[in-house]
Amino acid sequence: MTPEGCGLKTYILVWLGLVVLTGVAVSVAGMDLAGWSTAVALIIAFLKSGLILLYFMHLREGGELRFLRWMIPGVLAILFLFTGLTFLDVAFR
Amino acid sequence: MIGGVTGLPDQIVEDVFLFIAAVSVSILVLITFLMIFFTIRYRRKRNPKPEDIRGNLWLEILWTVIPTLLVLSMFYYGWTGFRTFKKVPEGAFTVKVMARQWSWLFEYENGVKTDELIVPVGRPIHLLLTSQDVIHGFYIPAFRVKQDAVPGMVNPLWFQAKDVGAFDVLCAEYCGQQHAYMLTRLKVYPEEEFNRWYEEKGKQFEQEKGLPRGSRLLQEKGCLVCHSLDGTPRIGPTLKGLFGKTVPVITGDRERNVLADEAYLKRSLLEPNTDIVKDFPPIMPSQKGLLTGEEIDELVRYMKEL
Amino acid sequence: MENHRNDGGSKLGMWLFLLSEILLFGGLFILYSVYRFQNPQIFHLAAEALNRPLGVLNTLVLLTSSLTMALSIFFLKKGSPGRSLLFLASTLFLGILFLFNKYLEWTWKVQLGIYPDAPRLLERERGEVLFYGLYYSMTGLHGLHVLVGLGILSVMLFFILKNKINHNHSVPLENTGLYWHLVDIVWIFLFPLFYLIT
Amino acid sequence: MSSFYEDEGRFRGILGWIFSTDHKRIGLLYLLAIFAFSAVGVLLGFLMRLELMAPGPTIMRPQTYNAIFTLHGVIMIFLFVIPGIPAIFGNFFLPIQVGARDVAFPRINLLSWWIYMAGAGLAVLSLFTGGGPVDTGWTFYVPYSLRTPVNVPLAVFAVFILGFSSILTGINFVTTTHQLRAPGMTWFRLPLFVWAIYATAWVQILATPVVGITLLLTLMERLAGVGIFDPLKGGDPILYQHLFWIYSHPAVYIMILPAMGIISEIIPVFAQRTIFGYKAIAFSSLAIAVVGSFVWGHHMFVSGQSDLASIIFSLLTFLVAVPSGVKVFNWVSTLYKGSIEVSPPLLFALTFIFLFSIGGLTGLFQGALATNVHLHDTYWVVGHFHYVIFGGTGFAIFGALHYWFPKMFGRRVGKKIPYLAWALLFVGFNTLYFPMLILGWEGMPRRYYDYLPQFHSLHLVSTVGSWILIAGLILMFGHLIYSLFRGEKERLENPWGGATLEWQIPSPPPRENFAEIPRVERGPYEFR
Ligand code: HEA
Ligand code: HEA
Ligand code: CUA
Ligand SMILES: [Cu+2]
């Protein structure tokens, strides 16, 4: 992992992206999207986390810890399965 | 048995049990036999030169696939049985069951309340279980049925008695100090006898309606599980002669004496843990929200007379 | 045993810790989704009563703090500890600002009589009690993580000053960064789930 | 080369132990602590058996009994079998077996021992403060745990702390396995014990936080009245059970996987031939860890969860039995055409296979929906889990103690007494626990202080079994302790003819294990 991994400019751009996405999330919340607004809010949250993970947390660069890139989706998958199986109960009671 | 299990829940449990037992015992015997046989046959004295065998793909596949099929069949029988458990037959006789620390209360469709479950023989019985405090487990071992009674939920359960008789009802979910004593009886009456009992009780109930009598309340609300009316202490102090007595209690960490007046009695019902009678555990469930104001007055009036 | 320093190992260890953090919050998210599923209407109404502008502000504060954190590491690795310190201090400041806002938000709620076990709260609908139960525990646990993060940031500040970490040995600061970013990510999810329910 | 016992670190005497970051010393610290706690657990088990010897009050009051089975469960689960094998033998041997000088984070390793002790200390403290010892059962089900006046908050907090220790240990082992393998130690040259600990470590990292947060919330609900699970506040007590078992089912694999790892070490050594189906055993560990994470609902078939959930969970439960079976079959096949010497470690390992199979097969009855309705919360379940935990993990620990004793302590264990102790343990065990299975089938609920007269005779048999068992236990440990001080000195590096790395270094090992990091050129079970 070299110090040049990410340039200053990249960092600032990523930050701008995060701010813009926050703005989008807030304005979308004001609109009436029927059942979709939660989904949109969550998608935006995932996009933001993705930016942070890839750039601020350097997952994009890989290197020796490349397999970690699979860990985050892996753990999220586990969490979704936990939630999904719980909902098999809650939603069908 | 192939093609799904049918019959009453207790029969189903036995069938599935036997099936799994047959498979399991065979596997256990096989494994144990091979283990002992190899150990003796290839003991060092007899077989000083071992032979390396790294594995065998076909064997590996075989002992993955066969057990998978076996467990899938176990799952299937378990499931078909479970379907029967969950499908209450039409025309079932419905009884509401209220669990509480540490007694059961059964409420019939005509309003009659009992603390033993009385049902007619040969008819499916449909129970609707709930709890007013913690989780309990309604369990009739003889009929191999069990279902938790959970506060805030109504869980169904059904069974059917083939023969007349009396059976144990136990609490299977741990619910506190007297969990082991949360027992009652299931009494199965012949059809006519049951009908007679049911009508008689129903009439009696109609007559008593409107005049809430203290003694009935004590019974129904489960007070008598912990309190006696004859002067002997049980889980809680006796209620006999309580009114007007000076009671040693622990308030916070302090010990003090209080006069058992009306206010004290009411407080004992609604906030039992503010004053705890000396030498008794702080386990009396608060009756807040469980008794109406009228019922409280009635209880207090009745306790004064004891 | 300092002599077998293993930077890759430290980072792997940190990531594993973060994975377990994800599941720690994950438990709460499971609860949240179930209760929201059971009380959709009430959660909606309760969420409207939260202070959305403050939530937005706090989101921006944390996002910016993530940027300053990343920059601090960037400059440390480049070999300019001075600038690294500056950005680290900004991160620290933004973290404190975040907590201060949270403090304000909580006190306002408490003044309205909405806090766990408050009689005013218990009078309301059950779903609302749950909403605030989750609100207090989730933002509370997150706040606790910010607080711990602030502690670690201060230690890092001290280490840089003492030249204990520098461009040759920057892993502690990088790991702090990983932690701080994760805390930020958690907030990125908390924010829409509490302030933007519609 | 001097052994790690003689090594002079920063401190001497006892401080040289409790502040040592040497993985072997930490392993022994855990051994001592866990031995002490499990002894208390055994004593409590013994007291319960005395109480249950006859119907009616026998030697204690209901409240005492309820506190005792709770404590027994909490100690045995959270202080003994969950940390057990990873913390003792994993710490001691995993670094050696992968060819490293220590774990990846020695100081965190020490920290996790301290956290463990702190958790244990808090658990002890909870007995004497607040409302007294907890009486909720080791599962802390709400709403009972929210209502009972006893000291639930502290006890729950103690378990939370213990979980933290477990996570740190897991992180250490995963990192060590990834980063510190000696040159040539490829993934498929790892001893199966390492594979098992590795799979376990992932479960520790990913499942423990879920119970952590659950317990923390219960704590907050008790202390601050935060509305989460309490039905009076709109909460859903079933949800507590989900979150609790999301961890606590995988936790049973935290208990058994390392034990299976030990068995996979012992059998090939005493058969002096390579293990049958190395990859099948290694991958079945991972399969158990993964699939086992999604079966938790089988503890809740009668709780009122939806039928659909019950059905899916039952299916998954059955699937997770298959990889366990694969292991059993491979072990048995490893005996085929071996050159077998029935030394005490092998005897315990074979007993493990037998008892664990009984335990596992009884699990199948519980996993089937129809039978579970009857068996749930009866002594059948109690029988099941003592067979798997104690017959499984317990006997694996006994085997491991005899197997690694010369390496850990540099002394030999005598030849005859272990067989006698084994006989007592084996007879006692089955006399103690088999009647429980019958009791369960006859409808005896668990956590009962008192019971109906028809259950008397089997309970009596069971109690007698506990005496035999404990006699065997005392004999075995007495003998081990005697050997520790008086046993013949072990001069050989490799008394059993093992092929893994720990047998290539002196007994006991020197401070940093290897004078020179070895280059690995063959698999762990290549004896020739
Ligand atoms: C070490 C701990 C351990 C292990 C390994 C297991 C393993 C298994 N357990 Fe157990 N279990 C517990 C510890 C453990 N359990 C505890 C502590 C409880 C009670 C908790 C409480 O309420 O307090 C419990 C409770 C429990 C329940 C809930 C009972 C109830 O309360 O209603 C169930 C239900 O499905 C269950 C099932 C299983 C199954 C299917 C396995 C399987 O993984 C077993 C697999 C093994 C085998 C099957 C045997 C070997 C295989 C063969 C010989 C091959 C051939 C066989 C075939 C595949 C057909 N267990
Ligand atoms: C590790 C797990 C473990 C072990 C070993 C034991 C050991 C024993 N258990 Fe068990 N038991 C549980 C876990 C365990 N138990 C759990 C989780 C529960 C449920 C609690 C609840 O309901 O909440 C329970 C409940 C339980 C009950 C049911 C209570 C009830 O439902 O009312 C009973 C009844 O007799 C019982 C008896 C015994 C006895 C007599 C022993 C022993 O006395 C037998 C002797 C033990 C040994 C011989 C093994 C000791 C091992 C060592 C000393 C190893 C030393 C270690 C090192 C050297 C590192 N136990
Ligand atoms: Cu009611 Cu146990
Ligand atoms: Cu389980």
Side-chain angles (χ1 to χ4, degrees), chain D residues 153-217:
Chain D
L154 197 56
V156 162
F157 188 62
V159 174
F160 176 78
I161 298 285
L162 289 171
F164 207 58
S165 157
S166 185
I167 294 178
L168 291 182
T169 307
I171 291 179
N172 235 325
F173 289 159
V174 171
T175 314
T176 308
T177 315
H178 273 277
Q179 299 271 323
L180 300 186
R181 277 172 289 130
M185 180 59 89
T186 57
W187 282 92
F188 291 122
R189 282 186 188 155
L190 285 175
L192 287 164
F193 180 65
V194 176
W195 269 103
I197 297 277
Y198 177 75
T200 312
W202 274 110
V203 181
Q204 283 173 292
I205 295 173
L206 297 181
T208 318
V210 181
V211 79
I213 189 69
T214 313
L215 295 178
L216 213 53
L217 287 171

Side-chain angles (χ1 to χ4, degrees), chain D residues 31 34-35 38 42 45-46 48-49 52 65 69-70 72-73 76-77 80-81 88 137-138 379 382 385-386 389-390 397-398 401 425 432-433 436 446-448 466 469-470 473 477:
Chain D
L31 177 75
I34 289 177
F35 179 68
S38 64
V42 169
F46 181 67
M48 274 193 291
R49 280 317 328 160
L52 294 175
Y65 181 82
F69 76 67
T70 304
H72 170 79
M76 288 302 196
I77 299 275
F80 171 33
V81 279
I88 301 171
W138 77 280
Y379 263 71
V382 180
F385 67 71
H386 282 95
I389 301 189
F390 176 19
I397 291 182
F398 299 159
L401 279 173
L425 285 170
L432 169 56
Y433 296 119
M436 291 192 181
R446 63 191 281 209
R447 297 172 172 176
Y448 261 32
S466 77
L469 181 68
I470 287 180
L473 197 65
F477 276 106

Side-chain angles (χ1 to χ4, degrees), chain C residues 10-77:
Chain C
S10 315
K11 249 192 218 157
L12 175 55
M14 191 64 201
W15 272 103
L16 293 172
F17 178 70
L18 296 186
L19 296 182
S20 85
E21 287 278 37
I22 294 181
L23 280 151
L24 184 78
F25 282 99
L28 281 166
F29 283 114
I30 296 177
L31 272 172
Y32 174 92
S33 48
V34 171
Y35 284 150
R36 176 156 166 194
F37 171 82
Q38 289 176 342
N39 313 281
Q41 231 40 49
I42 300 173
F43 265 47
H44 174 126
L45 291 177
E48 306 231 298
L50 292 184
N51 190 332
R52 192 183 283 182
L54 202 59
V56 176
L57 178 66
N58 254 351
T59 308
L60 294 179
V61 167
L62 265 200
L63 288 178
T64 313
S65 81
S66 256
L67 174 69
T68 53
M69 186 72 230
L71 291 178
S72 169
I73 299 169
F74 176 76
F75 284 113
L76 188 75
K77 280 177 143 181

Side-chain angles (χ1 to χ4, degrees), chain D residues 279-295:
Chain D
K279 284 194 184 172
I281 297 184
F283 286 129
S284 61
S285 287
L286 294 182
I288 293 177
V290 173
V291 183
S293 299
F294 305 110
V295 306

Side-chain angles (χ1 to χ4, degrees), chain D residues 99-126:
Chain D
R101 295 191 194 280
D102 206 321
V103 293
F105 311 110
R107 271 179 296 181
I108 289 184
N109 202 13
L110 179 62
L111 180 69
S112 83
W113 181 77
W114 276 103
I115 295 180
Y116 170 82
M117 292 307 282
L122 285 178
V124 172
L125 197 64
S126 80

